[in-house]
């Protein structure tokens, strides 16, 4: 046991496995929470508790406040990464299975690559282009199959919302690189979540004021699990890991999240796993792997 703890590489991978497991099962709890309250109300509770927990960690670590000129950029990241992403995801979860939703959202690296070409001046190599096309084909296989199978309109709209959420997440990553790259990631995460939560609270008040909210033991557990554990604590550990592992390994390891999300949704929520989802997921994972690994090789070549 002592030897295991001293094996830093093995410990890092153990932490990655635990984090991605927690993020995967969080999708099930996000879906289950809709039986107790509206999607925006749950998001407000979740990220409210998550933001408070993250800010307490920042205070405990005695981190300084961001520079004044960076506050506006942090607000933008908060709107893109927290407000838009999770309002759309939670609304989409009303009509789309949790497992499928997690797969669609984790197409984010594909959209990040597209946006990085436009706004960061990155070039698309042949391998990266192939990866993007493969990933897009996988996404079309998942969503397009539903479209041609004449599923209900709400499901198609829900899937479209989650795609937009993935694009917004990718945009927040690019914006961070443009405007906030020099700031500590944990500091940015804490304050962007704070501002993003304000946007979610505003949406909840406007859209769900007066709707029933059942704060029972189970629903409170969902809020605490997704807000404190999956958001605040897991992100804190994740940022520590990012200082110890390379970005490609980090990016590819997040592909475990939709895999776990699909598995737990099947086990706990009895959601069906169709062949279109399996084949589409494989193509998306392959596409992201190709774009990330080819990009890393290019950086090494420079």
């Amino acid at each position: 046991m002592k030897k295991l703890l001293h094996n830093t590489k093995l410990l890092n991978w153990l932490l990655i496995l635990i984090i991605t497991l927690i993020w995967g099962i969080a999708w099930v709890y996000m879906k289950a929470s809709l039986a107790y309250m509206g999607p925006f109300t749950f998001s407000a509770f979740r990220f409210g508790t998550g933001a408070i927990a993250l800010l307490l960690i920042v205070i405990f670590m005695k981190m300084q406040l961001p520079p004044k000129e960076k506050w506006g950029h942090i607000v933008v990241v908060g709107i893109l990464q927290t407000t838009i992403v999770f309002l759309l995801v939670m609304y989409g979860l009303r009509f789309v299975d949790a497992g499928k939703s997690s797969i669609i959202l984790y197409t984010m690296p594909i959209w990040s690559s597209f946006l990085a070409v436009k706004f960061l001046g990155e070039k698309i190599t042949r391998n990266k282009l192939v990866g993007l096309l493969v990933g897009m084909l996988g996404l079309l296989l998942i969503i397009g199959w539903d479209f041609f199978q004449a599923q209900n309109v709400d499901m198609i709209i829900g899937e479209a919302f989650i795609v937009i959420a993935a694009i917004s997440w990718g945009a927040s990553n690019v914006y961070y690189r443009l405007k906030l790259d020099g700031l500590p990631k944990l500091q940015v995460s804490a304050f962007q979540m704070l501002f993003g939560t304000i946007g979610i609270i505003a949406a909840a008040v406007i859209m769900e004021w007066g709707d029933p909210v059942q704060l029972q033991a189970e629903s409170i557990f969902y809020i605490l699990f997704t807000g404190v554990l999956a958001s605040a604590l897991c992100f804190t550990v994740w940022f520590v890991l990012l200082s110890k592992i390379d970005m490609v390994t980090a990016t590819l390891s997040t592909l475990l999240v939709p895999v776990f999300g699909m598995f737990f949704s099947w086990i706990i929520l009895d959601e069906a796993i169709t062949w279109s989802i399996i084949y589409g997921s494989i193509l998306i994972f392959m596409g992201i792997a190709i774009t990330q690994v080819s990009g890393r090789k290019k950086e090494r070549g420079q």
Side-chain angles (χ1 to χ4, degrees):
M1 183 66 178
K2 188 174 181 181
K3 184 178 179 181
L4 176 65
L5 291 175
H6 285 290
N7 190 330
T8 304
K9 186 174 181 180
L10 187 59
L11 182 59
N12 287 344
W13 275 106
L14 180 61
L15 289 173
I16 287 173
L17 180 62
I18 293 171
I19 289 171
T20 51
L21 269 169
I22 291 172
W23 283 343
I25 200 170
W27 282 90
V28 175
Y29 294 153
M30 287 160 60
K31 178 79 172 182
S33 71
L34 298 178
Y36 297 93
M37 64 193 76
F40 300 162
T41 302
F42 173 77
S43 296
F45 278 121
R46 172 191 176 178
F47 288 104
T49 56
I52 291 170
L54 267 180
L55 289 171
L56 288 175
I57 293 171
V58 168
I59 293 171
F60 177 77
M61 296 178 65
K62 298 180 179 179
M63 301 181 72
Q64 296 180 348
L65 292 174
K68 291 181 180 180
E69 64 272 15
K70 298 294 185 180
W71 283 105
H73 300 309
I74 294 175
V75 171
V76 173
V77 171
I79 293 171
L80 289 173
Q81 186 170 316
T82 297
T83 305
I84 295 177
V85 170
F86 286 96
L87 285 180
L88 293 180
V89 164
M90 288 304 300
Y91 188 80
L93 274 172
R94 296 177 64 185
F95 313 108
V96 185
D97 287 348
K100 185 189 291 186
S101 299
S102 66
I103 294 166
I104 296 174
L105 184 65
Y106 275 83
T107 60
M108 174 273 295
I110 297 174
W111 308 111
S112 292
S113 297
F114 275 126
L115 293 169
V117 172
K118 174 68 175 178
F119 296 102
L120 299 179
E122 294 186 2
K123 294 181 180 180
I124 294 187
T125 63
R126 183 175 62 181
N127 287 344
K128 183 170 284 191
L129 180 60
V130 170
L132 291 172
L133 292 175
V134 169
M136 291 298 296
L137 181 61
L139 182 62
L140 288 174
L141 183 59
I142 292 174
I143 298 179
W145 186 264
D146 286 342
F147 184 81
F148 289 113
Q149 286 293 310
Q151 297 280 353
N152 63 71
V153 176
D154 287 339
M155 179 178 289
I156 302 300
I157 293 174
E159 291 172 346
F161 279 165
I162 298 170
V163 171
I164 296 171
I167 296 172
S168 183
W169 187 7
S172 73
N173 292 338
V174 172
Y175 193 87
Y176 174 87
R177 286 271 303 276
L178 280 172
K179 304 296 184 180
L180 299 169
D181 203 18
L183 296 181
K185 291 183 175 65
L186 180 58
Q187 185 186 63
V188 174
S189 182
F191 287 103
Q192 71 82 15
M193 189 177 292
L194 173 64
F195 292 122
T197 301
I198 294 172
I200 290 175
I201 292 173
V205 170
I206 294 171
M207 303 296 295
E208 296 177 354
W209 184 262
D211 290 356
V213 177
Q214 301 178 49
L215 289 177
Q216 303 174 359
E218 194 167 352
S219 60
I220 291 173
F221 169 75
Y222 295 152
I223 291 169
L224 294 177
F225 184 97
T226 57
V228 177
L229 185 59
S231 296
L233 296 182
C234 279
F235 273 118
T236 300
V237 177
W238 183 251
F239 290 139
V240 173
L241 287 172
L242 286 179
S243 66
K244 298 181 178 181
I245 60 177
D246 63 272
M247 189 58 65
V248 174
T249 301
T251 303
L252 295 181
S253 65
T254 60
L255 296 182
L256 290 170
V257 177
V259 172
F260 289 140
M262 223 176 7
F263 174 76
F264 287 125
S265 298
W266 172 56
I267 294 296
I268 300 174
L269 301 178
D270 198 29
E271 293 181 354
I273 301 178
T274 64
W275 286 110
S276 65
I277 292 176
I278 294 174
Y279 293 143
S281 301
I282 292 172
L283 288 174
I284 289 171
F285 297 162
M286 286 175 57
I288 293 173
I290 292 170
T291 59
Q292 296 298 314
V293 172
S294 65
R296 182 65 175 177
K297 287 180 178 178
K298 183 180 177 183
E299 289 177 7
R300 288 175 178 170
Q302 293 174 345

